[in-house]
Amino acid sequence: MGPCRWTWSVSSRCVLRSLLARLQTAGALGLRKRLSTAPSSPLVCIVGSGPAGFYTAQHLLKHHKQVQVDIYEKLPVPFGLVRFGVAPDHPEVKNVINSFTQTASSNRCAFYGNITVGKDISVEELQQAYHAVVLSYGAEDNRQLGIPGENLPGVYSARAFVGWYNGLPENQNLEPDLSSETAVILGQGNVALDVARILLAPLDLLRKTDITASSLKAIAHSKVKQVWLIGRRGPLQVAFTIKELREMISLPGTKPLLHPSDFEGLGDVIKDLPRPRKRLTELMVKSALEKPSEKDSARWASATREWGLKFLSSPTEVLPCADGTRVAGIRLAINRLEGSGESAVAVPTGRFENLECGLILSSIGYKSLPIATSVPFDAKQGIIPNTMGRVHNVPGLYCSGWVKRGPTGVIITTMNDSFDTAQSVLDDLCSGRMDPSVPKLGFQSLRNTLQLRGVHPVSFSDWEKINASETAKGKEVGKPREKILDLEMMLRIQLKPARGVT
């Protein structure tokens, strides 16, 4: 259930329940004596400052008037995939940062960046310092292809490529080779379309975004003119959404390659599809089978770049060039489908196809990693086992976001999921499963420990100095911001007095 299930706030209901319980067990004098000492505020720690972390904090602060929330982040900057995952040409999606900033500005919320939980501080130490710990650290690893040649130069994960053009510090030395005319993206989700769009988008469009200066320079010299997006199943199973498909179809200077044979006969099944899938499929069918408008026809005739969808194909081997030093192509197994809809399974036919390319980007999904041996982890599913966000067999420990449910869904999915986890925390406070009267000191009890370990936390006001520096540099070149890529530089900027930000 969502946040509006109660008319009263959680804190009001908890106070009432507490009073009734005390009246049943104590006389009026005893009650007054107990109430003379107010119980401590619930202290909640959230690990990860991406959408899952901030939405969890937002719900807690809104529905409990005494709770104190501390958000820990390994980087000196907040917002996770909103900053490092959302495509540069989708600034409207990043507007959620405004509400996250409002949450972080609450006097009951604190941000502590530059702290890696599991390295600088342990989960167990956090559990000692807080009444509740919520793990929202996302999915930081890639699913492997598991095929020969996937480690050849020229093969990259889409996650690393996205991090490269979005300024994620760990990916700044990626230096992808864009010297080939043909690129292959393995996967047909929104991330795959984002990557294809960035590879093919006109430079004038990208120059107005917050794409990093170094990646913009590399893309300006890119030789990529053709991009294929490979899917193991068919058009009815693609994972991208209609908004992203529309953008690709209307991308200036590019032409879509949608083969009519892939879409013939779908008219009979479209009418029975759920509305989002129906609209998406109708757009693909229209683009593939119907005669384009004069405007589209003229635009595609003058296009210098192209992209296409290739279905029923699974990668089986990355093919090396003659001297074996880099990728030269990919071998694809041709599939057929058994079953229908989302449950359809790709089955190999025994036939293969070789596709020449000099760049391969794997976009087959992210995966979460275990954070501590004391925290249960399902390695097969890549999640922390939980029920409504409550970690199994570990009272006081919770999870939200991708580490809770897997790397699926869009930002609103994460919002609702995080609200559910926050509600579990509130319900446990209200029911007595969690006792906020037990003394906890939160960050104050960890400050000296971090200092002794050479860790220098970054506050939200420190981040605002970094933010001011980035936006100022961006303004100079007509961009929303020029992201700082170097961690040491970030830390130097946050040490400057506010008036000295440059």
Side-chain angles (χ1 to χ4, degrees):
M1 294 178 66
C4 298
R5 66 175 75 180
W6 296 333
T7 303
W8 289 6
S9 70
V10 173
S11 55
S12 299
R13 289 172 62 92
C14 285
V15 168
L16 179 59
R17 287 189 182 186
S18 178
L19 286 172
L20 290 174
R22 290 174 182 181
L23 283 169
Q24 292 173 351
T25 57
L29 181 61
L31 177 61
R32 285 195 298 271
K33 183 177 180 181
R34 290 190 185 189
L35 292 180
S36 64
T37 303
S40 60
S41 297
L43 300 183
V44 178
C45 165
I46 296 174
V47 179
S49 69
F54 266 105
Y55 279 129
T56 302
Q58 188 181 98
H59 191 90
L60 289 170
L61 294 167
K62 180 179 179 181
H63 294 279
H64 196 298
K65 301 308 179 185
Q66 284 80 45
V67 71
Q68 304 278 336
V69 178
D70 289 348
I71 302 175
Y72 287 68
E73 166 61 49
K74 71 173 185 177
L75 293 171
V77 294
F79 309 134
L81 284 182
V82 178
R83 177 180 168 96
F84 297 117
V86 174
D89 58 343
H90 283 177
E92 71 285 353
V93 181
K94 301 184 184 185
N95 288 338
V96 71
I97 284 176
N98 297 329
S99 68
F100 293 168
T101 297
Q102 187 176 1
T103 297
S105 300
S106 167
N107 59 9
R108 293 187 289 121
C109 183
F111 171 80
Y112 298 106
N114 198 41
I115 300 176
T116 302
V117 175
K119 177 185 175 184
D120 299 328
I121 204 80
S122 69
V123 173
E124 293 83 358
E125 287 171 314
L126 292 177
Q127 288 174 294
Q128 290 294 318
Y130 292 88
H131 295 104
V133 175
V134 183
L135 301 175
S136 303
Y137 60 86
E140 298 181 311
D141 202 8
N142 317 292
R143 296 190 182 279
Q144 299 297 307
L145 292 169
I147 61 175
E150 70 174 300
N151 295 318
L152 278 171
V155 182
Y156 311 91
S157 73
R159 177 187 175 276
F161 191 76
V162 170
W164 171 69
Y165 65 65
N166 268 334
L168 185 62
E170 67 185 65
N171 298 132
Q172 291 321 293
N173 296 322
L174 189 70
E175 298 182 356
D177 186 345
L178 306 179
S179 62
S180 170
E181 289 194 358
T182 300
V184 163
I185 300 174
L186 303 174
Q188 292 181 339
N190 281 342
V191 173
L193 282 189
D194 282 348
V195 169
R197 196 176 62 255
I198 296 301
L199 281 171
L200 299 176
L203 286 177
D204 287 345
L205 187 155
L206 294 179
R207 285 192 182 102
K208 301 172 185 177
T209 73
D210 66 358
I211 191 170
T212 65
S214 55
S215 58
L216 181 62
K217 182 178 179 181
I219 291 171
H221 292 90
S222 169
K223 303 297 183 184
V224 175
K225 294 182 178 180
Q226 183 183 70
V227 176
W228 287 104
L229 295 100
I230 313 296
R232 73 183 189 280
R233 298 191 292 173
L236 295 177
Q237 290 81 36
V238 295
F240 51 73
T241 52
I242 192 168
K243 176 182 179 292
E244 280 70 22
L245 179 61
R246 281 201 193 103
E247 284 183 290
M248 284 301 298
I249 291 173
S250 60
L251 189 65
T254 64
K255 175 185 177 181
L257 301 175
L258 302 178
H259 295 301
S261 60
D262 290 328
F263 301 92
E264 290 171 350
L266 292 184
D268 294 335
V269 298
I270 286 178
K271 62 181 184 298
D272 297 323
L273 296 174
R275 188 169 183 271
R277 175 68 66 179
K278 178 181 179 181
R279 293 174 61 233
L280 173 63
T281 309
E282 286 174 341
L283 179 57
M284 287 191 287
V285 169
K286 178 181 178 181
S287 302
L289 301 181
E290 295 184 11
K291 183 179 179 180
S293 66
E294 288 187 15
K295 182 180 178 181
D296 284 342
S297 183
R299 182 165 58 85
W300 294 343
S302 63
T304 58
R305 299 179 178 187
E306 57 189 17
W307 64 275
L309 300 172
K310 188 177 286 291
F311 300 106
L312 298 173
S313 302
S314 297
T316 60
E317 182 182 358
V318 175
L319 304 174
C321 61
D323 62 7
T325 58
R326 59 164 292 104
V327 61
I330 189 162
R331 176 163 292 173
L332 302 170
I334 308 303
N335 302 324
R336 60 180 174 82
L337 287 184
E338 288 187 357
S340 60
E342 298 298 327
S343 61
V345 177
V347 178
T349 62
R351 294 183 290 116
F352 297 88
E353 174 188 4
N354 290 348
L355 183 59
E356 290 186 10
C357 60
L359 173 66
I360 297 175
L361 295 158
S362 173
S363 184
I364 60 173
Y366 299 170
K367 69 176 182 179
S368 298
L369 297 172
I371 194 170
T373 55
S374 62
V375 179
F377 190 78
D378 184 332
K380 184 176 181 180
Q381 296 188 63
I383 62 171
I384 295 173
N386 70 92
T387 301
M388 290 297 290
R390 297 180 179 92
V391 176
H392 290 172
N393 304 316
V394 189
L397 190 63
Y398 304 80
C399 57
S400 68
W402 283 2
V403 76
K404 170 187 174 184
R405 71 176 191 278
T408 59
V410 294
I411 195 165
I412 194 169
T413 316
T414 296
M415 180 185 74
N416 291 326
D417 165 88
S418 302
F419 285 176
D420 285 343
T421 291
Q423 195 59 55
S424 292
V425 175
L426 296 175
D427 288 346
D428 289 351
L429 278 169
C430 196
S431 67
R433 289 181 63 176
M434 188 192 312
D435 185 3
S437 68
V438 175
K440 300 281 186 176
L441 297 177
F443 180 77
Q444 298 307 317
S445 65
L446 303 173
R447 188 187 300 274
N448 289 339
T449 300
L450 290 167
Q451 187 175 2
L452 289 172
R453 293 173 184 172
V455 180
H456 304 286
V458 172
S459 69
F460 201 78
S461 60
D462 292 333
W463 146 246
E464 289 176 327
K465 296 177 187 177
I466 298 170
N467 181 46
S469 178
E470 290 185 339
T471 53
K473 285 182 169 65
K475 188 175 181 180
E476 293 173 3
V477 293
K479 298 172 62 176
R481 71 174 61 243
E482 190 62 72
K483 289 179 180 174
I484 297 167
L485 311 181
D486 182 72
L487 292 175
E488 291 301 320
M489 184 178 293
M490 291 180 187
L491 296 177
R492 286 198 299 271
I493 288 173
Q494 62 91 15
L495 288 173
K496 294 180 180 179
R499 292 177 181 267
V501 175
T502 59

